[in-house]
Amino acid sequence: MKIKRIMAAFTAAVCFSTVFSGFPCFDLAFTAETAVSDSFERTYDGWCAYGTADIKAADGFEGRGMLITDRASALDGAVSEKGFYLDGGIKYKYSVKVKSEKGDVFSLTLRWLDPETGEYNSRVIAEKNANANEWTEISAKAAAPKGSINQTLIITANSTEDFYFDDVNI
C-alpha cells in the first residue's frame, strides 16, 4: 500500500512539472537572457520602413531577413518600437546583423519617449563599418533613461544604398 502511494505521488509530481515546464513564463533562463528575438522567419516582427524607404522580406543571414530599399536620405532605414518588452533604466544588450552590397557604416539608434515632457529623445548606441557583401554584427549595451517609455530601435546607414538586416536581439 505504501509503495502505491509513493508511486502515485511520484507520478503526480512528474506530470505537474511536465505541464508547467511548457509555459514560457516559467522559462526563466529565456526571459532573463533575451527580451526580443526577431529572426523574420514568419513575420516582420513589428519592423517597418523609417523615412521614405521601403521594407520587404529578402534572403537573410540564416533564412529570411529584411531588405531596406528606395532610401532618399541616410536617415531612412528600419524602425521598430519595442517598449512593450523593454523598461527604461535597465541596460540591455542590443545586436543586429547588417549587410550591404557596397559596404557602409551602419548605426543603431535607441529612441524613447519622456512621459513627463512628451518629447522623444534618441542617441546612437552603436556604429560599425561593414564590408561589401559581408554580414556584420552591430552590438551595444545601453539603457534608455529610467521612467522612459516607447523604446524604439532605428537602423540606418551613412549612404542611401539598399541594405539588409536580420537577427535582431535584445
Side-chain angles (χ1 to χ4, degrees), residues 45-58:
D45 292 324
W47 286 88
C48 59
Y50 186 67
T52 62
D54 287 327
I55 188 170
K56 56 185 148 188

Side-chain angles (χ1 to χ4, degrees), residues 5-62:
R5 283 185 181 173
I6 292 171
M7 291 305 290
F10 177 74
T11 302
V14 168
C15 290
F16 183 75
S17 66
T18 303
V19 167
F20 284 103
S21 68
F23 291 110
C25 62
F26 289 99
D27 188 1
L28 298 178
F30 178 79
T31 56
E33 294 294 321
T34 306
V36 175
S37 182
D38 296 337
S39 65
F40 310 110
E41 297 308 315
R42 294 190 188 123
T43 69
Y44 283 26
D45 292 324
W47 286 88
C48 59
Y50 186 67
T52 62
D54 287 327
I55 188 170
K56 56 185 148 188
D59 288 338
F61 178 70
E62 293 178 349

Side-chain angles (χ1 to χ4, degrees), residues 20-170:
F20 284 103
S21 68
F23 291 110
C25 62
F26 289 99
D27 188 1
L28 298 178
F30 178 79
T31 56
E33 294 294 321
T34 306
V36 175
S37 182
D38 296 337
S39 65
F40 310 110
E41 297 308 315
R42 294 190 188 123
T43 69
Y44 283 26
D45 292 324
W47 286 88
C48 59
Y50 186 67
T52 62
D54 287 327
I55 188 170
K56 56 185 148 188
D59 288 338
F61 178 70
E62 293 178 349
R64 188 172 99 162
M66 303 305 294
L67 172 62
I68 300 296
T69 62
D70 301 325
R71 299 174 64 223
S73 159
L75 298 175
D76 295 343
V79 63
S80 183
E81 184 177 310
K82 299 300 182 186
F84 181 75
Y85 308 101
L86 308 176
D87 293 316
I90 297 176
K91 189 178 272 191
Y92 296 94
K93 180 182 181 200
Y94 298 86
S95 70
V96 60
K97 291 182 176 67
V98 294
K99 179 178 92 165
S100 68
E101 291 181 6
K102 296 183 179 178
D104 214 331
V105 177
F106 288 91
S107 298
L108 186 57
T109 301
L110 178 60
R111 183 179 70 182
W112 61 89
L113 176 64
D114 182 335
E116 292 181 13
T117 65
E119 293 180 14
Y120 276 96
N121 297 293
S122 64
R123 68 181 168 96
V124 174
I125 60 172
E127 274 190 337
K128 192 161 190 182
N129 188 23
N131 294 327
N133 290 313
E134 288 183 17
W135 285 100
T136 302
E137 183 176 12
I138 304 171
S139 65
K141 289 184 179 180
K146 188 171 183 159
S148 63
I149 58 174
N150 297 358
Q151 289 80 9
T152 303
L153 284 180
I154 304 167
I155 304 167
T156 56
N158 282 358
S159 73
T160 57
E161 297 295 323
D162 298 349
F163 70 85
Y164 299 83
F165 69 99
D166 198 359
D167 291 344
V168 179
N169 290 291
I170 303 171

